[in-house]
Amino acid sequence: MTSLHTTRVRRRRLGVAAAAAGLFATLLTAGPAAATPDPGDHPAIGKGLSASQEAVAAAAIEDGEIPGVDEIVHSDNIEHLANIPKDALKGTNSDLAFQGKYAFSGNYDGFRIFDISNPKSPETVAQVLCPGSQNDISVSGNLLFLSTDSSRSDNSCASTTQPATEKSSWEGMKIFDISDKRNPKYVAAVETACGSHTHTLVPERSSVYVYVSSYSPSETFPDCQPPHDGISVIKVERKAPEKAAIVNFPVLFPDGGNPGAPTNPGVSKTTGCHDITVLPSKDLAAGACMGDGLLFSIKDPENPKIIDRVQDNVNFAFWHSATFNQDADKVVFTDELGGGGAATCNEEIGPKRGADGIYDIVGRGDQRKLVFRSYFKIDRPQAATEVCVAHNGSIIPVKGRDLMVQAWYQGGISVWDFTDSSKPTEIAYFERGPVTLDRVTTAGPWSAYYYNGYIYSNDIAKGFDVLKLNDRRTDPAKRVRLPELNVQTQPDYFDN
């Protein structure tokens, strides 16, 4: 267990900006941001800092502007209940899914299953070695789905890295039977164009549709050819998952999508989607697709239909993920500025870049439009060594309010209120200090999700965290219980 304590009240002065600015410029000189830019199974080692930059960070710790190395700080309304460090799987921790008393933790080396029936003391049930970044994970019934987005020698869990330029290389979706949580069994694999960076489930009674998001094609990749302007749709029969197959590849960008630089400097060219969130109760989906944000209908899940499309060529570099509010009249899109590899929470970058964009959904039916309202970004300064950017989060289910918990890598975990979409406010936070002061390090929470009364977080470096909110604004959510949660398949929280 990690020692738990709160340090002095953090000052809001962004005193580390000068050190971070030069480093950030260096990291982005190659062009627009790209999410998880590493071609293999593990992120690249971060760039070192100069002695003067280290001194600035050390001074910021001394002055109370940022926490000390690995020091835990949090608001008074959050408790840190538990931390379970990495064990057999040493790779980067990634996404989370939930079912009953179990949490499923993705890792670049495979996945881990926790028994969370006692949130103060989670217990490891199983660890499955199956390398292949980034192992985005979800569950439905007796099936577990795992994304492979690095080029492998074959589709087995014993595969090794192999160049994407080789035709025999494999990337795509893996499917496991988890009817026995202590002994998951690998039952099927489906190869998909450009792999599977993330995926989203659209569950039905006898089958599951899987929307596979991937991007960055190349003429040198036999199985990932441009233009890659859509998503793979896989159909999986629950009683016969071994028959899983692609049933459609809908084109989402008939015009090619956002052209990116040089037309739109600093913006990623759209060559596919990074992540999709569906709201099955409303037959809606929101797509975060590199240079574009999408709203589409999934009344026919095999044939999603675009309703509206937006761009932000001023402040958004890479549309990373999306979250609906419960009433489906708002969408929060995140911008992964720097591709999860740069320090962006500082004065030089400012409050509008590497942030959330809040959009209202106005109108009816196929005439609905996404209308921008505001940005939200944590205002707690981070060291020049701390990779910090908007990342994965979920709704906290409280009727009449729009509340969200969200991961910010080394910016920690933020709980915020966007009931007024023009004036979002943070109401709670939890974070650790820098992992180190001598080089940029990718660490901190990859995902932070609310499930059955608790916040669960997968820290890239430090392991699995459990937090508890104690706040009158969020307390009603403790009464909402779900049998299963894949955050990218948003439930109707008040119909369970």
mmCIF file of all heavy atoms in Angstrom, residues 383-427:
data_model
loop_
_atom_site.group_PDB
_atom_site.id
_atom_site.type_symbol
_atom_site.label_atom_id
_atom_site.label_comp_id
_atom_site.label_asym_id
_atom_site.label_seq_id
_atom_site.Cartn_x
_atom_site.Cartn_y
_atom_site.Cartn_z
ATOM 1 N N ALA A 383 4.928 20.054 -13.196
ATOM 2 C CA ALA A 383 6.355 20.231 -13.498
ATOM 3 C C ALA A 383 6.627 19.993 -14.976
ATOM 4 O O ALA A 383 5.846 19.350 -15.680
ATOM 5 C CB ALA A 383 7.192 19.274 -12.653
ATOM 6 N N ALA A 384 7.769 20.493 -15.432
ATOM 7 C CA ALA A 384 8.162 20.321 -16.829
ATOM 8 C C ALA A 384 8.448 18.862 -17.163
ATOM 9 O O ALA A 384 8.519 18.490 -18.333
ATOM 10 C CB ALA A 384 9.398 21.170 -17.125
ATOM 11 N N THR A 385 8.611 18.025 -16.154
ATOM 12 C CA THR A 385 8.845 16.596 -16.386
ATOM 13 C C THR A 385 7.556 15.800 -16.462
ATOM 14 O O THR A 385 7.586 14.611 -16.778
ATOM 15 C CB THR A 385 9.700 16.005 -15.247
ATOM 16 O OG1 THR A 385 9.014 16.177 -14.007
ATOM 17 C CG2 THR A 385 11.057 16.681 -15.182
ATOM 18 N N GLU A 386 6.415 16.429 -16.151
ATOM 19 C CA GLU A 386 5.163 15.700 -16.016
ATOM 20 C C GLU A 386 4.312 15.764 -17.284
ATOM 21 O O GLU A 386 3.774 16.813 -17.631
ATOM 22 C CB GLU A 386 4.352 16.265 -14.844
ATOM 23 C CG GLU A 386 4.980 16.007 -13.494
ATOM 24 C CD GLU A 386 4.104 16.503 -12.360
ATOM 25 O OE1 GLU A 386 4.079 17.709 -12.105
ATOM 26 O OE2 GLU A 386 3.434 15.652 -11.740
ATOM 27 N N VAL A 387 4.185 14.628 -17.960
ATOM 28 C CA VAL A 387 3.251 14.531 -19.073
ATOM 29 C C VAL A 387 1.850 14.726 -18.521
ATOM 30 O O VAL A 387 1.410 14.006 -17.630
ATOM 31 C CB VAL A 387 3.365 13.173 -19.779
ATOM 32 C CG1 VAL A 387 2.220 12.973 -20.767
ATOM 33 C CG2 VAL A 387 4.700 13.063 -20.491
ATOM 34 N N CYS A 388 1.145 15.720 -19.030
ATOM 35 C CA CYS A 388 -0.170 16.069 -18.498
ATOM 36 C C CYS A 388 -1.056 16.518 -19.641
ATOM 37 O O CYS A 388 -0.682 17.419 -20.405
ATOM 38 C CB CYS A 388 -0.040 17.185 -17.463
ATOM 39 S SG CYS A 388 -1.618 17.856 -16.892
ATOM 40 N N VAL A 389 -2.220 15.870 -19.783
ATOM 41 C CA VAL A 389 -3.157 16.233 -20.842
ATOM 42 C C VAL A 389 -4.503 15.574 -20.547
ATOM 43 O O VAL A 389 -4.576 14.594 -19.790
ATOM 44 C CB VAL A 389 -2.617 15.777 -22.219
ATOM 45 C CG1 VAL A 389 -2.715 14.262 -22.374
ATOM 46 C CG2 VAL A 389 -3.292 16.494 -23.371
ATOM 47 N N ALA A 390 -5.572 16.111 -21.115
ATOM 48 C CA ALA A 390 -6.902 15.531 -20.924
ATOM 49 C C ALA A 390 -6.929 14.092 -21.425
ATOM 50 O O ALA A 390 -6.494 13.803 -22.541
ATOM 51 C CB ALA A 390 -7.941 16.369 -21.673
ATOM 52 N N HIS A 391 -7.478 13.181 -20.599
ATOM 53 C CA HIS A 391 -7.545 11.775 -21.006
ATOM 54 C C HIS A 391 -8.879 11.172 -20.584
ATOM 55 O O HIS A 391 -9.887 11.878 -20.528
ATOM 56 C CB HIS A 391 -6.346 10.994 -20.460
ATOM 57 C CG HIS A 391 -5.788 10.003 -21.423
ATOM 58 N ND1 HIS A 391 -5.839 8.639 -21.227
ATOM 59 C CD2 HIS A 391 -5.182 10.172 -22.621
ATOM 60 C CE1 HIS A 391 -5.284 8.018 -22.256
ATOM 61 N NE2 HIS A 391 -4.875 8.928 -23.116
ATOM 62 N N ASN A 392 -8.941 9.865 -20.298
ATOM 63 C CA ASN A 392 -10.205 9.150 -20.186
ATOM 64 C C ASN A 392 -10.931 9.414 -18.870
ATOM 65 O O ASN A 392 -10.332 9.380 -17.795
ATOM 66 C CB ASN A 392 -9.961 7.645 -20.316
ATOM 67 C CG ASN A 392 -9.486 7.253 -21.695
ATOM 68 O OD1 ASN A 392 -9.477 8.058 -22.607
ATOM 69 N ND2 ASN A 392 -9.089 5.998 -21.840
ATOM 70 N N GLY A 393 -12.253 9.600 -18.967
ATOM 71 C CA GLY A 393 -13.073 9.814 -17.787
ATOM 72 C C GLY A 393 -14.488 9.320 -18.003
ATOM 73 O O GLY A 393 -14.837 8.813 -19.070
ATOM 74 N N SER A 394 -15.329 9.483 -16.981
ATOM 75 C CA SER A 394 -16.707 8.998 -17.065
ATOM 76 C C SER A 394 -17.655 9.923 -16.315
ATOM 77 O O SER A 394 -17.247 10.718 -15.458
ATOM 78 C CB SER A 394 -16.817 7.589 -16.475
ATOM 79 O OG SER A 394 -16.799 7.633 -15.053
ATOM 80 N N ILE A 395 -18.925 9.768 -16.628
ATOM 81 C CA ILE A 395 -19.979 10.481 -15.922
ATOM 82 C C ILE A 395 -20.096 9.960 -14.483
ATOM 83 O O ILE A 395 -19.928 8.771 -14.222
ATOM 84 C CB ILE A 395 -21.329 10.275 -16.658
ATOM 85 C CG1 ILE A 395 -21.318 11.019 -18.002
ATOM 86 C CG2 ILE A 395 -22.506 10.728 -15.812
ATOM 87 C CD1 ILE A 395 -21.206 12.521 -17.864
ATOM 88 N N ILE A 396 -20.393 10.859 -13.556
ATOM 89 C CA ILE A 396 -20.793 10.488 -12.203
ATOM 90 C C ILE A 396 -22.311 10.671 -12.156
ATOM 91 O O ILE A 396 -22.804 11.793 -12.313
ATOM 92 C CB ILE A 396 -20.098 11.365 -11.150
ATOM 93 C CG1 ILE A 396 -18.582 11.177 -11.238
ATOM 94 C CG2 ILE A 396 -20.608 11.020 -9.750
ATOM 95 C CD1 ILE A 396 -17.802 12.089 -10.306
ATOM 96 N N PRO A 397 -23.079 9.600 -11.985
ATOM 97 C CA PRO A 397 -24.530 9.666 -12.200
ATOM 98 C C PRO A 397 -25.301 10.348 -11.063
ATOM 99 O O PRO A 397 -25.589 9.741 -10.021
ATOM 100 C CB PRO A 397 -24.929 8.196 -12.320
ATOM 101 C CG PRO A 397 -23.886 7.458 -11.547
ATOM 102 C CD PRO A 397 -22.621 8.223 -11.716
ATOM 103 N N VAL A 398 -25.634 11.610 -11.269
ATOM 104 C CA VAL A 398 -26.457 12.376 -10.344
ATOM 105 C C VAL A 398 -27.538 13.071 -11.158
ATOM 106 O O VAL A 398 -27.229 13.841 -12.078
ATOM 107 C CB VAL A 398 -25.633 13.420 -9.575
ATOM 108 C CG1 VAL A 398 -26.543 14.291 -8.705
ATOM 109 C CG2 VAL A 398 -24.565 12.739 -8.712
ATOM 110 N N LYS A 399 -28.805 12.796 -10.844
ATOM 111 C CA LYS A 399 -29.893 13.397 -11.601
ATOM 112 C C LYS A 399 -29.869 14.922 -11.469
ATOM 113 O O LYS A 399 -29.675 15.466 -10.385
ATOM 114 C CB LYS A 399 -31.244 12.867 -11.107
ATOM 115 C CG LYS A 399 -31.553 11.452 -11.561
ATOM 116 C CD LYS A 399 -32.961 11.034 -11.162
ATOM 117 C CE LYS A 399 -33.283 9.640 -11.699
ATOM 118 N NZ LYS A 399 -34.663 9.209 -11.336
ATOM 119 N N GLY A 400 -30.047 15.578 -12.615
ATOM 120 C CA GLY A 400 -30.118 17.026 -12.624
ATOM 121 C C GLY A 400 -28.790 17.731 -12.680
ATOM 122 O O GLY A 400 -28.743 18.967 -12.773
ATOM 123 N N ARG A 401 -27.682 16.960 -12.637
ATOM 124 C CA ARG A 401 -26.354 17.578 -12.728
ATOM 125 C C ARG A 401 -25.514 16.812 -13.735
ATOM 126 O O ARG A 401 -25.714 15.608 -13.950
ATOM 127 C CB ARG A 401 -25.642 17.570 -11.382
ATOM 128 C CG ARG A 401 -26.360 18.285 -10.261
ATOM 129 C CD ARG A 401 -25.500 18.340 -9.016
ATOM 130 N NE ARG A 401 -24.471 19.370 -9.140
ATOM 131 C CZ ARG A 401 -24.550 20.562 -8.545
ATOM 132 N NH1 ARG A 401 -25.603 20.869 -7.817
ATOM 133 N NH2 ARG A 401 -23.577 21.439 -8.683
ATOM 134 N N ASP A 402 -24.572 17.520 -14.344
ATOM 135 C CA ASP A 402 -23.605 16.901 -15.246
ATOM 136 C C ASP A 402 -22.245 16.937 -14.559
ATOM 137 O O ASP A 402 -21.572 17.978 -14.515
ATOM 138 C CB ASP A 402 -23.564 17.635 -16.587
ATOM 139 C CG ASP A 402 -24.871 17.521 -17.336
ATOM 140 O OD1 ASP A 402 -25.498 16.447 -17.274
ATOM 141 O OD2 ASP A 402 -25.286 18.501 -17.994
ATOM 142 N N LEU A 403 -21.849 15.778 -14.025
ATOM 143 C CA LEU A 403 -20.611 15.642 -13.273
ATOM 144 C C LEU A 403 -19.732 14.595 -13.929
ATOM 145 O O LEU A 403 -20.215 13.590 -14.453
ATOM 146 C CB LEU A 403 -20.910 15.228 -11.826
ATOM 147 C CG LEU A 403 -21.823 16.163 -11.029
ATOM 148 C CD1 LEU A 403 -22.235 15.506 -9.726
ATOM 149 C CD2 LEU A 403 -21.135 17.493 -10.775
ATOM 150 N N MET A 404 -18.438 14.810 -13.867
ATOM 151 C CA MET A 404 -17.514 13.903 -14.548
ATOM 152 C C MET A 404 -16.242 13.746 -13.727
ATOM 153 O O MET A 404 -15.769 14.689 -13.084
ATOM 154 C CB MET A 404 -17.179 14.463 -15.939
ATOM 155 C CG MET A 404 -16.337 13.562 -16.812
ATOM 156 S SD MET A 404 -16.230 14.210 -18.513
ATOM 157 C CE MET A 404 -15.096 13.009 -19.226
ATOM 158 N N VAL A 405 -15.690 12.537 -13.727
ATOM 159 C CA VAL A 405 -14.359 12.300 -13.195
ATOM 160 C C VAL A 405 -13.459 11.987 -14.374
ATOM 161 O O VAL A 405 -13.868 11.302 -15.319
ATOM 162 C CB VAL A 405 -14.339 11.160 -12.156
ATOM 163 C CG1 VAL A 405 -14.855 9.844 -12.751
ATOM 164 C CG2 VAL A 405 -12.930 10.965 -11.590
ATOM 165 N N GLN A 406 -12.234 12.497 -14.351
ATOM 166 C CA GLN A 406 -11.386 12.399 -15.531
ATOM 167 C C GLN A 406 -9.918 12.257 -15.152
ATOM 168 O O GLN A 406 -9.441 12.856 -14.188
ATOM 169 C CB GLN A 406 -11.566 13.654 -16.393
ATOM 170 C CG GLN A 406 -10.842 13.608 -17.718
ATOM 171 C CD GLN A 406 -11.176 14.798 -18.588
ATOM 172 O OE1 GLN A 406 -11.921 15.687 -18.202
ATOM 173 N NE2 GLN A 406 -10.631 14.823 -19.797
ATOM 174 N N ALA A 407 -9.205 11.451 -15.939
ATOM 175 C CA ALA A 407 -7.762 11.289 -15.787
ATOM 176 C C ALA A 407 -7.021 12.345 -16.607
ATOM 177 O O ALA A 407 -7.449 12.694 -17.710
ATOM 178 C CB ALA A 407 -7.345 9.892 -16.247
ATOM 179 N N TRP A 408 -5.891 12.802 -16.063
ATOM 180 C CA TRP A 408 -5.054 13.812 -16.729
ATOM 181 C C TRP A 408 -3.588 13.381 -16.730
ATOM 182 O O TRP A 408 -2.693 14.218 -16.619
ATOM 183 C CB TRP A 408 -5.212 15.168 -16.034
ATOM 184 C CG TRP A 408 -6.541 15.802 -16.276
ATOM 185 C CD1 TRP A 408 -7.725 15.517 -15.644
ATOM 186 C CD2 TRP A 408 -6.846 16.810 -17.242
ATOM 187 N NE1 TRP A 408 -8.737 16.282 -16.155
ATOM 188 C CE2 TRP A 408 -8.227 17.094 -17.132
ATOM 189 C CE3 TRP A 408 -6.088 17.524 -18.184
ATOM 190 C CZ2 TRP A 408 -8.872 18.044 -17.932
ATOM 191 C CZ3 TRP A 408 -6.719 18.471 -18.978
ATOM 192 C CH2 TRP A 408 -8.091 18.723 -18.853
ATOM 193 N N TYR A 409 -3.329 12.080 -16.854
ATOM 194 C CA TYR A 409 -1.956 11.598 -16.734
ATOM 195 C C TYR A 409 -1.354 12.152 -15.435
ATOM 196 O O TYR A 409 -1.938 12.003 -14.375
ATOM 197 C CB TYR A 409 -1.139 11.981 -17.962
ATOM 198 C CG TYR A 409 -1.271 11.026 -19.150
ATOM 199 C CD1 TYR A 409 -2.393 10.234 -19.335
ATOM 200 C CD2 TYR A 409 -0.275 10.928 -20.110
ATOM 201 C CE1 TYR A 409 -2.513 9.385 -20.428
ATOM 202 C CE2 TYR A 409 -0.374 10.082 -21.205
ATOM 203 C CZ TYR A 409 -1.491 9.308 -21.356
ATOM 204 O OH TYR A 409 -1.607 8.456 -22.434
ATOM 205 N N GLN A 410 -0.201 12.817 -15.494
ATOM 206 C CA GLN A 410 0.413 13.277 -14.246
ATOM 207 C C GLN A 410 -0.254 14.521 -13.674
ATOM 208 O O GLN A 410 0.141 14.993 -12.603
ATOM 209 C CB GLN A 410 1.916 13.490 -14.433
ATOM 210 C CG GLN A 410 2.650 12.150 -14.545
ATOM 211 C CD GLN A 410 4.145 12.287 -14.448
ATOM 212 O OE1 GLN A 410 4.714 12.421 -13.371
ATOM 213 N NE2 GLN A 410 4.795 12.243 -15.598
ATOM 214 N N GLY A 411 -1.274 15.023 -14.364
ATOM 215 C CA GLY A 411 -2.129 16.032 -13.753
ATOM 216 C C GLY A 411 -3.075 15.418 -12.745
ATOM 217 O O GLY A 411 -3.780 16.129 -12.031
ATOM 218 N N GLY A 412 -3.115 14.079 -12.690
ATOM 219 C CA GLY A 412 -3.901 13.371 -11.694
ATOM 220 C C GLY A 412 -5.334 13.126 -12.120
ATOM 221 O O GLY A 412 -5.622 12.868 -13.294
ATOM 222 N N ILE A 413 -6.234 13.216 -11.165
ATOM 223 C CA ILE A 413 -7.657 12.945 -11.367
ATOM 224 C C ILE A 413 -8.443 14.192 -10.978
ATOM 225 O O ILE A 413 -8.225 14.764 -9.914
ATOM 226 C CB ILE A 413 -8.103 11.748 -10.507
ATOM 227 C CG1 ILE A 413 -7.418 10.469 -10.992
ATOM 228 C CG2 ILE A 413 -9.622 11.587 -10.544
ATOM 229 C CD1 ILE A 413 -7.569 9.310 -10.035
ATOM 230 N N SER A 414 -9.349 14.596 -11.853
ATOM 231 C CA SER A 414 -10.174 15.770 -11.598
ATOM 232 C C SER A 414 -11.643 15.378 -11.599
ATOM 233 O O SER A 414 -12.085 14.605 -12.450
ATOM 234 C CB SER A 414 -9.928 16.841 -12.672
ATOM 235 O OG SER A 414 -10.772 17.960 -12.483
ATOM 236 N N VAL A 415 -12.398 15.901 -10.651
ATOM 237 C CA VAL A 415 -13.854 15.781 -10.644
ATOM 238 C C VAL A 415 -14.406 17.166 -10.935
ATOM 239 O O VAL A 415 -14.040 18.143 -10.267
ATOM 240 C CB VAL A 415 -14.374 15.273 -9.289
ATOM 241 C CG1 VAL A 415 -15.900 15.185 -9.310
ATOM 242 C CG2 VAL A 415 -13.775 13.908 -8.958
ATOM 243 N N TRP A 416 -15.255 17.260 -11.965
ATOM 244 C CA TRP A 416 -15.710 18.595 -12.365
ATOM 245 C C TRP A 416 -17.175 18.589 -12.779
ATOM 246 O O TRP A 416 -17.743 17.545 -13.102
ATOM 247 C CB TRP A 416 -14.806 19.176 -13.443
ATOM 248 C CG TRP A 416 -14.648 18.371 -14.700
ATOM 249 C CD1 TRP A 416 -13.990 17.181 -14.849
ATOM 250 C CD2 TRP A 416 -15.152 18.705 -15.996
ATOM 251 N NE1 TRP A 416 -14.056 16.759 -16.156
ATOM 252 C CE2 TRP A 416 -14.756 17.673 -16.887
ATOM 253 C CE3 TRP A 416 -15.883 19.773 -16.504
ATOM 254 C CZ2 TRP A 416 -15.077 17.686 -18.247
ATOM 255 C CZ3 TRP A 416 -16.201 19.789 -17.857
ATOM 256 C CH2 TRP A 416 -15.794 18.751 -18.712
ATOM 257 N N ASP A 417 -17.765 19.773 -12.753
ATOM 258 C CA ASP A 417 -19.188 19.972 -12.982
ATOM 259 C C ASP A 417 -19.369 20.796 -14.255
ATOM 260 O O ASP A 417 -18.837 21.898 -14.365
ATOM 261 C CB ASP A 417 -19.781 20.718 -11.776
ATOM 262 C CG ASP A 417 -21.299 20.845 -11.819
ATOM 263 O OD1 ASP A 417 -21.870 20.921 -12.930
ATOM 264 O OD2 ASP A 417 -21.915 20.900 -10.735
ATOM 265 N N PHE A 418 -20.112 20.233 -15.249
ATOM 266 C CA PHE A 418 -20.386 20.992 -16.472
ATOM 267 C C PHE A 418 -21.891 21.125 -16.698
ATOM 268 O O PHE A 418 -22.365 21.190 -17.829
ATOM 269 C CB PHE A 418 -19.667 20.381 -17.686
ATOM 270 C CG PHE A 418 -20.075 18.971 -18.060
ATOM 271 C CD1 PHE A 418 -20.907 18.728 -19.150
ATOM 272 C CD2 PHE A 418 -19.598 17.884 -17.346
ATOM 273 C CE1 PHE A 418 -21.273 17.443 -19.512
ATOM 274 C CE2 PHE A 418 -19.952 16.585 -17.693
ATOM 275 C CZ PHE A 418 -20.790 16.367 -18.782
ATOM 276 N N THR A 419 -22.642 21.186 -15.577
ATOM 277 C CA THR A 419 -24.085 21.396 -15.675
ATOM 278 C C THR A 419 -24.381 22.669 -16.467
ATOM 279 O O THR A 419 -25.272 22.695 -17.316
ATOM 280 C CB THR A 419 -24.713 21.482 -14.274
ATOM 281 O OG1 THR A 419 -24.348 20.307 -13.523
ATOM 282 C CG2 THR A 419 -26.225 21.574 -14.358
ATOM 283 N N ASP A 420 -23.629 23.714 -16.173
ATOM 284 C CA ASP A 420 -23.622 24.908 -17.017
ATOM 285 C C ASP A 420 -22.484 24.730 -18.000
ATOM 286 O O ASP A 420 -21.319 24.878 -17.636
ATOM 287 C CB ASP A 420 -23.422 26.164 -16.173
ATOM 288 C CG ASP A 420 -23.454 27.454 -17.002
ATOM 289 O OD1 ASP A 420 -23.309 27.375 -18.241
ATOM 290 O OD2 ASP A 420 -23.600 28.535 -16.402
ATOM 291 N N SER A 421 -22.797 24.364 -19.236
ATOM 292 C CA SER A 421 -21.755 24.003 -20.199
ATOM 293 C C SER A 421 -20.852 25.173 -20.571
ATOM 294 O O SER A 421 -19.790 24.977 -21.161
ATOM 295 C CB SER A 421 -22.372 23.396 -21.458
ATOM 296 O OG SER A 421 -23.371 24.242 -22.002
ATOM 297 N N SER A 422 -21.261 26.393 -20.206
ATOM 298 C CA SER A 422 -20.422 27.565 -20.474
ATOM 299 C C SER A 422 -19.507 27.903 -19.311
ATOM 300 O O SER A 422 -18.586 28.714 -19.475
ATOM 301 C CB SER A 422 -21.304 28.786 -20.788
ATOM 302 O OG SER A 422 -22.051 28.576 -21.972
ATOM 303 N N LYS A 423 -19.755 27.276 -18.126
ATOM 304 C CA LYS A 423 -18.962 27.606 -16.951
ATOM 305 C C LYS A 423 -18.612 26.343 -16.151
ATOM 306 O O LYS A 423 -19.078 26.155 -15.026
ATOM 307 C CB LYS A 423 -19.717 28.598 -16.065
ATOM 308 C CG LYS A 423 -19.961 29.958 -16.709
ATOM 309 C CD LYS A 423 -20.718 30.887 -15.779
ATOM 310 C CE LYS A 423 -20.959 32.251 -16.428
ATOM 311 N NZ LYS A 423 -21.729 33.166 -15.535
ATOM 312 N N PRO A 424 -17.791 25.457 -16.707
ATOM 313 C CA PRO A 424 -17.403 24.249 -15.978
ATOM 314 C C PRO A 424 -16.500 24.588 -14.795
ATOM 315 O O PRO A 424 -15.709 25.537 -14.861
ATOM 316 C CB PRO A 424 -16.660 23.430 -17.030
ATOM 317 C CG PRO A 424 -16.123 24.450 -17.984
ATOM 318 C CD PRO A 424 -17.161 25.531 -18.032
ATOM 319 N N THR A 425 -16.623 23.818 -13.713
ATOM 320 C CA THR A 425 -15.813 24.065 -12.524
ATOM 321 C C THR A 425 -15.321 22.757 -11.919
ATOM 322 O O THR A 425 -16.046 21.759 -11.887
ATOM 323 C CB THR A 425 -16.618 24.825 -11.452
ATOM 324 O OG1 THR A 425 -17.800 24.076 -11.123
ATOM 325 C CG2 THR A 425 -17.032 26.199 -11.952
ATOM 326 N N GLU A 426 -14.094 22.750 -11.417
ATOM 327 C CA GLU A 426 -13.557 21.588 -10.715
ATOM 328 C C GLU A 426 -14.070 21.574 -9.285
ATOM 329 O O GLU A 426 -14.112 22.606 -8.616
ATOM 330 C CB GLU A 426 -12.029 21.619 -10.719
ATOM 331 C CG GLU A 426 -11.395 20.397 -10.072
ATOM 332 C CD GLU A 426 -9.880 20.400 -10.156
ATOM 333 O OE1 GLU A 426 -9.266 21.153 -9.380
ATOM 334 O OE2 GLU A 426 -9.316 19.652 -10.993
ATOM 335 N N ILE A 427 -14.463 20.379 -8.793
ATOM 336 C CA ILE A 427 -14.961 20.287 -7.430
ATOM 337 C C ILE A 427 -14.131 19.337 -6.554
ATOM 338 O O ILE A 427 -14.325 19.296 -5.339
ATOM 339 C CB ILE A 427 -16.443 19.861 -7.398
ATOM 340 C CG1 ILE A 427 -16.634 18.461 -7.971
ATOM 341 C CG2 ILE A 427 -17.310 20.871 -8.130
ATOM 342 C CD1 ILE A 427 -18.065 17.929 -7.828
#
